[in-house]
Amino acid sequence: MNDRMGRGRREWPGVQVQGCVVRIELLGLVILGLLAGGFVSPAQAQDAPPSPTSGIITEAAGTSDPAKTAPSASKLSPKLTLESADGRNSLTFGLRVQMLLQLDSTDFDDADTADTHTEFKFRRIRTSFKGRLFAENLSYFLQFNLSPGSLELLDATLNVAFTPQVQLEIGQAKAPFTRYRQNSDKDQMIADWALVSPYFGTERQLGLTLHNGKSKPPRIEYQAGIYSGRNARKSHGVGVAKMYGEKLTSPSSLTDPAPQDEFHPGLAAHIAYNHAGINTRRFSDFKKGGFRFSSGLSSSVILRPKRERDMALRLAPEFLLKVHGYSLALIYYLGVTEATQDDHDWQVGFHGFLLQTGYLLNDWVELAFSYAFVATTGDLRQDARKHAENILAQAEADERDDLTEQYGQAGNVLAEHEFVAALNFHFFDSHLVLKNDVGFCLHDYRDGVDDRNDLRVRVLLQLAI
């Protein structure tokens, strides 16, 4: 056996396989049987395109002392990787399944109108393929949504690394607006995205992104690019459409794709300073090191916005702090819209704020708290109501009922608050996680007639490779 292969490593024709400890190899055999193919490699899995300057397969520490060899359960990372003998081509398979049990009690503090129901569902089923293609500096990433009732192409990118500091990503991916939204849902402190994300959060778009590393951002990181301006999905960044009563579609659907709008390009950028090697890919502090922080600013502008659907301008300063297992994230959001009435002036339409904090009691138990707030301005609410009134005034008689149902609540939201307390169990890093949270959502509406307080309890089990 070649000495370069290292301890616990074997070489087969055209394929490299590596094992670290017996537990990983046994897990790999089980996964291998379930998926009818694949090779196991213990490297830190990321739900993001691989860094083109680093190898997919890493070497295990060579020691005969099991106590020194075996990492804790929270550090083990199963990974299925195929790699060509010359290392120029590779494929890593990823799978993430999230099962959610959720109880919702709408208007829970009013006995006359309270409505409680419980639901169990597969919140997410995602499969991904990433690796290198023909060269060390050319990588690819594909991700699909396989949730029941959905079949979507989420991400499809090629990344060319001219140097580690200058890289170009081409294809469909999240536009770079806030580190919080660029990170994966699997690494969130609570069971799902906070209230601010549906309003402000970036969504996947076709575009070009110039950056200096996404999976492992350096001390000074940047991402900037030009994008189609049309969200590929209707999940995030839909605050304007919600206020104006507009229905949205998902062009990324593979079963019923919506047609693309006319090109109305957007620009987005994120820049941050990351101190002392802070890991910004997840907000929880599993490293438990000394004082580290990240301070960043994101911006997005749509050059020709769809006034009833797009924010013309978004700004978001953010701050992340970690120290000895404690973490704190703060983000402020500002959303500017273009009025649909009169001379189409720009107007401040939204303010938002997110605070998330957590503490790891040990390697696998985490306490977390999240507070999110979104407020709308009077100018936005007035413009949304006028827009709806104009549509209803011009409606044909046979359309009026449907349009009244769609636009009747336009411009009604004053503010929304979300409080969430969570207890999380990281049995196997982010690969086997049980998230439990209780949330209160307070909804303030115009004239106060329909104000509502909701209670939500969620239990989410996450399995990921």
Short mmCIF file of all heavy atoms in Angstrom, two decimals, residues 268-300:
data_model
loop_
_atom_site.label_atom_id
_atom_site.label_comp_id
_atom_site.label_asym_id
_atom_site.label_seq_id
_atom_site.Cartn_x
_atom_site.Cartn_y
_atom_site.Cartn_z
N ALA A 268 -26.79 42.95 -5.93
CA ALA A 268 -26.74 42.62 -4.51
C ALA A 268 -25.29 42.46 -4.08
O ALA A 268 -24.44 42.04 -4.87
CB ALA A 268 -27.53 41.34 -4.21
N ALA A 269 -25.02 42.81 -2.82
CA ALA A 269 -23.66 42.71 -2.31
C ALA A 269 -23.68 42.50 -0.80
O ALA A 269 -24.58 42.98 -0.10
CB ALA A 269 -22.86 43.98 -2.64
N HIS A 270 -22.69 41.77 -0.34
CA HIS A 270 -22.49 41.54 1.09
C HIS A 270 -21.00 41.65 1.37
O HIS A 270 -20.19 41.04 0.67
CB HIS A 270 -23.00 40.16 1.50
CG HIS A 270 -22.59 39.74 2.88
ND1 HIS A 270 -23.19 40.22 4.02
CD2 HIS A 270 -21.62 38.89 3.32
CE1 HIS A 270 -22.64 39.69 5.08
NE2 HIS A 270 -21.68 38.87 4.68
N ILE A 271 -20.64 42.43 2.39
CA ILE A 271 -19.25 42.56 2.80
C ILE A 271 -19.20 42.47 4.31
O ILE A 271 -20.11 42.94 5.00
CB ILE A 271 -18.62 43.89 2.30
CG1 ILE A 271 -17.13 43.93 2.60
CG2 ILE A 271 -19.35 45.10 2.88
CD1 ILE A 271 -16.39 45.07 1.93
N ALA A 272 -18.15 41.82 4.84
CA ALA A 272 -18.06 41.64 6.28
C ALA A 272 -16.61 41.52 6.71
O ALA A 272 -15.74 41.07 5.95
CB ALA A 272 -18.84 40.40 6.71
N TYR A 273 -16.37 41.89 7.97
CA TYR A 273 -15.09 41.68 8.61
C TYR A 273 -15.27 40.59 9.66
O TYR A 273 -16.12 40.70 10.55
CB TYR A 273 -14.60 42.96 9.29
CG TYR A 273 -13.33 42.75 10.11
CD1 TYR A 273 -12.09 42.62 9.49
CD2 TYR A 273 -13.40 42.65 11.50
CE1 TYR A 273 -10.95 42.40 10.22
CE2 TYR A 273 -12.25 42.44 12.25
CZ TYR A 273 -11.03 42.31 11.60
OH TYR A 273 -9.89 42.09 12.34
N ASN A 274 -14.48 39.52 9.56
CA ASN A 274 -14.60 38.37 10.44
C ASN A 274 -13.35 38.27 11.32
O ASN A 274 -12.26 38.02 10.82
CB ASN A 274 -14.77 37.09 9.62
CG ASN A 274 -15.97 37.16 8.69
OD1 ASN A 274 -17.05 37.59 9.08
ND2 ASN A 274 -15.78 36.76 7.44
N HIS A 275 -13.54 38.47 12.61
CA HIS A 275 -12.42 38.56 13.53
C HIS A 275 -12.11 37.21 14.18
O HIS A 275 -13.02 36.48 14.58
CB HIS A 275 -12.74 39.60 14.63
CG HIS A 275 -11.70 39.68 15.70
ND1 HIS A 275 -10.45 40.21 15.49
CD2 HIS A 275 -11.73 39.29 17.02
CE1 HIS A 275 -9.75 40.16 16.61
NE2 HIS A 275 -10.50 39.61 17.55
N ALA A 276 -10.83 36.89 14.28
CA ALA A 276 -10.33 35.74 15.04
C ALA A 276 -10.86 34.41 14.50
O ALA A 276 -11.09 33.47 15.26
CB ALA A 276 -10.66 35.88 16.53
N GLY A 277 -11.05 34.33 13.19
CA GLY A 277 -11.44 33.07 12.58
C GLY A 277 -12.83 32.59 12.91
O GLY A 277 -13.11 31.39 12.91
N ILE A 278 -13.75 33.51 13.17
CA ILE A 278 -15.12 33.14 13.51
C ILE A 278 -15.77 32.36 12.38
O ILE A 278 -15.59 32.69 11.20
CB ILE A 278 -15.96 34.40 13.86
CG1 ILE A 278 -17.36 34.00 14.33
CG2 ILE A 278 -16.03 35.36 12.69
CD1 ILE A 278 -18.16 35.17 14.88
N ASN A 279 -16.52 31.32 12.73
CA ASN A 279 -17.28 30.55 11.75
C ASN A 279 -18.64 31.21 11.57
O ASN A 279 -19.49 31.15 12.45
CB ASN A 279 -17.44 29.11 12.22
CG ASN A 279 -18.27 28.26 11.26
OD1 ASN A 279 -18.58 28.68 10.15
ND2 ASN A 279 -18.65 27.08 11.70
N THR A 280 -18.85 31.84 10.43
CA THR A 280 -20.11 32.52 10.18
C THR A 280 -21.13 31.63 9.47
O THR A 280 -22.27 32.05 9.26
CB THR A 280 -19.88 33.78 9.32
OG1 THR A 280 -19.29 33.40 8.06
CG2 THR A 280 -18.96 34.75 10.02
N ARG A 281 -20.75 30.40 9.14
CA ARG A 281 -21.66 29.51 8.43
C ARG A 281 -22.78 29.00 9.33
O ARG A 281 -23.80 28.52 8.85
CB ARG A 281 -20.88 28.32 7.85
CG ARG A 281 -19.92 28.69 6.75
CD ARG A 281 -20.66 29.17 5.53
NE ARG A 281 -21.45 28.12 4.92
CZ ARG A 281 -22.32 28.33 3.94
NH1 ARG A 281 -22.56 29.54 3.52
NH2 ARG A 281 -22.99 27.33 3.43
N ARG A 282 -22.59 29.06 10.64
CA ARG A 282 -23.64 28.75 11.59
C ARG A 282 -23.47 29.67 12.79
O ARG A 282 -22.35 29.98 13.19
CB ARG A 282 -23.60 27.27 12.00
CG ARG A 282 -22.33 26.83 12.64
CD ARG A 282 -22.17 25.31 12.68
NE ARG A 282 -23.32 24.64 13.23
CZ ARG A 282 -23.40 23.31 13.34
NH1 ARG A 282 -22.39 22.54 12.92
NH2 ARG A 282 -24.47 22.72 13.85
N PHE A 283 -24.59 30.11 13.37
CA PHE A 283 -24.53 31.09 14.44
C PHE A 283 -24.20 30.45 15.79
O PHE A 283 -23.70 31.12 16.69
CB PHE A 283 -25.84 31.86 14.52
CG PHE A 283 -26.00 32.89 13.43
CD1 PHE A 283 -25.03 33.08 12.47
CD2 PHE A 283 -27.15 33.67 13.35
CE1 PHE A 283 -25.16 34.02 11.46
CE2 PHE A 283 -27.31 34.62 12.35
CZ PHE A 283 -26.32 34.79 11.40
N SER A 284 -24.49 29.17 16.00
CA SER A 284 -24.16 28.50 17.24
C SER A 284 -22.64 28.39 17.38
O SER A 284 -21.93 28.21 16.39
CB SER A 284 -24.78 27.11 17.29
OG SER A 284 -26.19 27.18 17.15
N ASP A 285 -22.14 28.45 18.62
CA ASP A 285 -20.70 28.45 18.85
C ASP A 285 -20.22 27.07 19.31
O ASP A 285 -19.97 26.85 20.49
CB ASP A 285 -20.34 29.51 19.90
CG ASP A 285 -18.83 29.61 20.08
OD1 ASP A 285 -18.08 29.21 19.17
OD2 ASP A 285 -18.40 30.06 21.16
N PHE A 286 -20.07 26.14 18.37
CA PHE A 286 -19.59 24.81 18.71
C PHE A 286 -18.09 24.80 18.98
O PHE A 286 -17.59 23.89 19.64
CB PHE A 286 -19.94 23.83 17.59
CG PHE A 286 -21.38 23.43 17.57
CD1 PHE A 286 -22.29 24.13 16.81
CD2 PHE A 286 -21.83 22.37 18.33
CE1 PHE A 286 -23.63 23.78 16.79
CE2 PHE A 286 -23.17 22.00 18.33
CZ PHE A 286 -24.08 22.72 17.57
N LYS A 287 -17.37 25.79 18.50
CA LYS A 287 -15.93 25.86 18.75
C LYS A 287 -15.64 26.22 20.21
O LYS A 287 -14.65 25.78 20.78
CB LYS A 287 -15.30 26.90 17.83
CG LYS A 287 -13.79 27.00 17.96
CD LYS A 287 -13.22 28.02 16.98
CE LYS A 287 -11.71 28.13 17.11
NZ LYS A 287 -11.15 29.13 16.17
N LYS A 288 -16.48 27.03 20.81
CA LYS A 288 -16.37 27.43 22.22
C LYS A 288 -15.02 28.08 22.51
O LYS A 288 -14.41 27.87 23.56
CB LYS A 288 -16.59 26.24 23.15
CG LYS A 288 -17.99 25.64 23.06
CD LYS A 288 -18.18 24.53 24.07
CE LYS A 288 -19.58 23.98 24.01
NZ LYS A 288 -19.81 22.89 24.99
N GLY A 289 -14.55 28.89 21.58
CA GLY A 289 -13.28 29.57 21.75
C GLY A 289 -13.44 30.92 22.41
O GLY A 289 -14.47 31.24 23.00
N GLY A 290 -12.39 31.73 22.30
CA GLY A 290 -12.41 33.07 22.88
C GLY A 290 -13.28 34.03 22.08
O GLY A 290 -14.04 33.62 21.20
N PHE A 291 -13.12 35.29 22.36
CA PHE A 291 -13.96 36.33 21.75
C PHE A 291 -13.73 36.40 20.25
O PHE A 291 -12.61 36.57 19.79
CB PHE A 291 -13.67 37.67 22.40
CG PHE A 291 -14.45 38.81 21.81
CD1 PHE A 291 -15.77 39.01 22.18
CD2 PHE A 291 -13.87 39.67 20.89
CE1 PHE A 291 -16.50 40.06 21.65
CE2 PHE A 291 -14.60 40.71 20.35
CZ PHE A 291 -15.91 40.90 20.73
N ARG A 292 -14.82 36.26 19.49
CA ARG A 292 -14.79 36.39 18.04
C ARG A 292 -16.03 37.16 17.59
O ARG A 292 -17.07 37.08 18.24
CB ARG A 292 -14.82 35.01 17.36
CG ARG A 292 -13.56 34.16 17.52
CD ARG A 292 -13.90 32.69 17.62
NE ARG A 292 -14.55 32.39 18.88
CZ ARG A 292 -15.48 31.44 19.04
NH1 ARG A 292 -15.88 30.71 17.99
NH2 ARG A 292 -16.02 31.21 20.22
N PHE A 293 -15.91 37.88 16.50
CA PHE A 293 -17.09 38.59 16.00
C PHE A 293 -17.01 38.78 14.50
O PHE A 293 -15.94 38.68 13.88
CB PHE A 293 -17.25 39.95 16.70
CG PHE A 293 -16.26 41.00 16.24
CD1 PHE A 293 -16.54 41.83 15.15
CD2 PHE A 293 -15.04 41.15 16.89
CE1 PHE A 293 -15.63 42.80 14.73
CE2 PHE A 293 -14.13 42.11 16.47
CZ PHE A 293 -14.43 42.94 15.40
N SER A 294 -18.16 39.06 13.91
CA SER A 294 -18.27 39.40 12.50
C SER A 294 -19.20 40.60 12.37
O SER A 294 -20.26 40.64 13.00
CB SER A 294 -18.83 38.22 11.69
OG SER A 294 -19.08 38.59 10.34
N SER A 295 -18.79 41.57 11.59
CA SER A 295 -19.60 42.76 11.36
C SER A 295 -19.73 42.96 9.85
O SER A 295 -18.72 43.02 9.14
CB SER A 295 -18.94 43.99 12.00
OG SER A 295 -19.72 45.15 11.78
N GLY A 296 -20.97 43.04 9.36
CA GLY A 296 -21.16 43.10 7.92
C GLY A 296 -22.28 44.03 7.50
O GLY A 296 -23.07 44.52 8.32
N LEU A 297 -22.36 44.26 6.20
CA LEU A 297 -23.39 45.09 5.61
C LEU A 297 -23.82 44.47 4.29
O LEU A 297 -22.98 44.08 3.47
CB LEU A 297 -22.89 46.52 5.37
CG LEU A 297 -23.87 47.47 4.66
CD1 LEU A 297 -25.08 47.75 5.55
CD2 LEU A 297 -23.17 48.78 4.28
N SER A 298 -25.13 44.38 4.08
CA SER A 298 -25.67 43.85 2.83
C SER A 298 -26.57 44.90 2.19
O SER A 298 -27.24 45.67 2.88
CB SER A 298 -26.48 42.58 3.09
OG SER A 298 -25.68 41.56 3.64
N SER A 299 -26.60 44.88 0.87
CA SER A 299 -27.49 45.79 0.14
C SER A 299 -27.98 45.09 -1.12
O SER A 299 -27.33 44.20 -1.67
CB SER A 299 -26.76 47.09 -0.24
OG SER A 299 -25.69 46.81 -1.12
N SER A 300 -29.16 45.49 -1.56
CA SER A 300 -29.75 44.95 -2.78
C SER A 300 -30.59 46.04 -3.43
O SER A 300 -31.33 46.75 -2.75
CB SER A 300 -30.63 43.74 -2.44
OG SER A 300 -31.35 43.31 -3.58
#
